[in-house]
Amino acid sequence: MRRPMLALVVLVALAVVGLPDGVHAQKSFKVGAIVPVSGPAAAFGLGVQRGLELAAEDISVFTVAGEKYKMEVVTYDTVYAPDKTVAAINRAVYNDNVKYGVIIGAGVHPPILPIIRETGFLDFAFAAAGRQVTNPDNPTVFRIMASSDQLYQTYAVAIAEKLGGKRIAFLGPNDELGKNDAKAIKAEVEKLKAKGVSFVGDEYYERGARDFGPALLRLIAQKPDIIDTDGSPTGSIALIAKQARELGYNGYFVNSTAVLEAKAISDIAGKAGENIIALRIWANPPTKLYAELAERHQKKYGEAAPGTLWETYGAARWLVDIIVKAGTFDTKKVADALAGSTYAAHPFGAASWGGEKTYGIKRQIIMPIPAAILKNGKWEPFDIQSGKFE
């Protein structure tokens, strides 16, 4: 009995030694997707989750301080609700020992910022808004999409002038994001006052609402040429467009801070979804990597890639690159190294960090910002700006 047992032990040992490098003795590097994967903003969260998954595939095994690691994606559904987001980050940090992650939503960030500050959690914030999220008190919060300030400063005037719009209105969510963005667009429209452009009204809705009729009636009575719908998710903007057209509105919609899905809008709103202008959407691939990721997603998941996929993928690759170079998982040390870095391989084009003059800290991503317009159920190019932001 001893000889067969000895032979078995030898065979197992040889098999382990013969495994490809990185298959054994590797540790898990957990990255949280603290995002909505159900509810009206589910497409945003799925894009983040899948962007992280594709990045994990490409990163494979990496080495930090002599130890091998493999990235593991852990998803926590927030349904885009503040209370559920608080519960999710508490579970991630205190139960699962997750120190890094992507968190969606300016509206859900205020209650989780104290937790982030207390624990040093490194948050890749997929959130618009402005200084409420990005400031020196939150050094481990990096905004991986354009901020509301950046988007409105880049595009509010440019779009109004390009469309010849004179009367601008605002319809956004009744939360931190909506209130902040209303102020931002009012400030930008004020710059066009001498050219006869005016801000004619603002209305707000509760997230998850399906009836926008009363708010739209009040806005349409002001005869706007453009209604800015702020960060309204795909399901909401589709209903807004459909109901507004039924009430006689024939102008343009501008969705400034969300990432919209063309097919879903068309499925819900039909022709009423025409002439929605969305920022941060590429009608044509800006890089080879962008196109490759779109193709991979289609093959793997059987559907077009959600709009949040590319920014998340780029952030994850950038993060691991910095962790390897820094030789540590200490989030504060990684944050310092990340803030001073650039990343040439982002799917949108070369990226860096800025916003120090505006926010007092370099935590705002800087990269090209596109705009697209919905025509016949598909996005068509509208404009591309540099995204420069001090």
Side-chain angles (χ1 to χ4, degrees):
M1 292 296 292
R2 289 182 179 180
R3 286 185 178 178
M5 181 63 71
L6 178 61
L8 178 60
V9 170
V10 171
L11 284 173
V12 170
L14 288 173
V16 170
V17 171
L19 286 172
D21 185 39
V23 171
H24 61 281
Q26 67 191 29
K27 298 180 178 180
S28 177
F29 169 52
K30 295 180 181 180
V31 177
I34 303 175
V35 298
V37 290
S38 63
F44 298 167
L46 289 172
V48 167
Q49 177 183 313
R50 294 170 184 177
L52 291 174
E53 289 171 351
L54 292 179
E57 289 178 10
D58 291 347
I59 292 166
S60 189
V61 178
F62 61 98
T63 303
V64 177
E67 299 279 355
K68 295 187 182 298
Y69 293 87
K70 189 168 181 62
M71 181 173 150
E72 177 188 350
V73 181
V74 188
T75 301
Y76 304 85
D77 187 10
T78 68
V79 200
Y80 210 117
D83 59 333
K84 289 183 171 57
T85 306
V86 170
I89 192 169
N90 276 323
R91 193 163 69 254
V93 173
Y94 295 112
N95 292 1
D96 302 337
N97 197 32
V98 177
K99 298 179 180 179
Y100 293 82
V102 180
I103 305 178
I104 280 185
V108 305
H109 263 78
I112 65 172
L113 287 173
I115 302 169
I116 289 171
R117 288 193 289 268
E118 178 184 335
T119 63
F121 183 91
L122 198 147
D123 168 22
F124 276 140
F126 224 120
R131 194 177 178 88
Q132 297 94 324
V133 172
T134 307
N135 60 63
D137 291 335
N138 304 321
T140 60
V141 177
F142 287 76
R143 197 195 313 266
I144 62 172
M145 61 168 281
S147 72
S148 297
D149 302 319
Q150 187 181 14
L151 288 166
Y152 283 118
Q153 288 179 29
T154 302
Y155 269 112
V157 171
I159 289 175
E161 291 183 335
K162 193 165 185 175
L163 297 177
K166 297 294 185 181
R167 300 176 66 79
I168 317 296
F170 178 91
L171 175 60
N174 187 25
D175 58 20
E176 188 79 12
L177 175 66
K179 298 299 176 64
N180 176 84
D181 290 359
K183 293 178 183 177
I185 192 171
K186 287 176 184 177
E188 293 305 312
V189 172
E190 184 68 20
K191 297 176 183 178
L192 294 173
K193 190 174 182 179
K195 297 183 179 181
V197 180
S198 60
F199 187 84
V200 298
D202 54 327
E203 293 286 340
Y204 303 89
Y205 64 85
E206 301 302 324
R207 287 196 181 273
R210 299 186 63 82
D211 180 9
F212 303 92
L216 285 168
L217 277 171
R218 290 190 290 270
L219 288 182
I220 293 171
Q222 304 304 316
K223 300 181 180 179
D225 303 306
I226 299 170
I227 297 177
D228 189 288
T229 56
D230 190 34
S232 301
T234 293
S236 298
I237 183 60
L239 290 173
I240 289 170
K242 187 174 187 294
Q243 292 171 25
R245 301 302 186 205
E246 290 170 351
L247 293 171
Y249 178 66
N250 296 313
Y252 291 88
F253 295 98
V254 176
N255 196 278
S256 299
T257 63
V259 179
L260 304 180
E261 308 302 326
K263 184 179 184 302
I265 293 173
S266 295
D267 287 347
I268 296 170
K271 295 295 288 184
E274 299 284 288
N275 290 329
I276 294 174
I277 297 166
L279 310 187
R280 300 173 43 247
I281 288 180
W282 293 95
N284 296 319
T287 65
K288 181 181 178 183
L289 175 59
Y290 183 103
E292 289 172 349
L293 289 171
E295 184 178 352
R296 281 174 63 190
H297 183 279
Q298 183 69 49
K299 287 181 178 179
K300 183 170 183 175
Y301 300 102
E303 60 185 18
T308 51
L309 175 101
W310 293 276
E311 286 152 305
T312 303
Y313 175 93
R317 296 296 307 271
W318 193 350
L319 171 65
V320 172
D321 197 42
I322 293 300
I323 287 174
V324 170
K325 290 177 181 176
T328 180
F329 287 101
D330 184 302
T331 57
K332 293 182 180 178
K333 292 179 180 178
V334 170
D336 289 340
L338 185 62
S341 69
T342 59
Y343 190 62
H346 194 285
F348 283 10
S352 60
W353 301 100
E356 189 169 18
K357 182 177 179 181
T358 302
Y359 299 132
I361 192 168
K362 286 177 66 175
R363 296 296 188 271
Q364 172 59 55
I365 199 165
I366 306 297
M367 57 188 176
I369 303 174
I373 186 168
L374 195 60
K375 296 284 188 182
N376 298 314
K378 294 183 178 180
W379 296 115
E380 294 185 2
F382 184 80
D383 199 0
I384 300 174
Q385 300 283 341
S386 69
K388 183 179 179 182
F389 187 68
E390 296 180 350

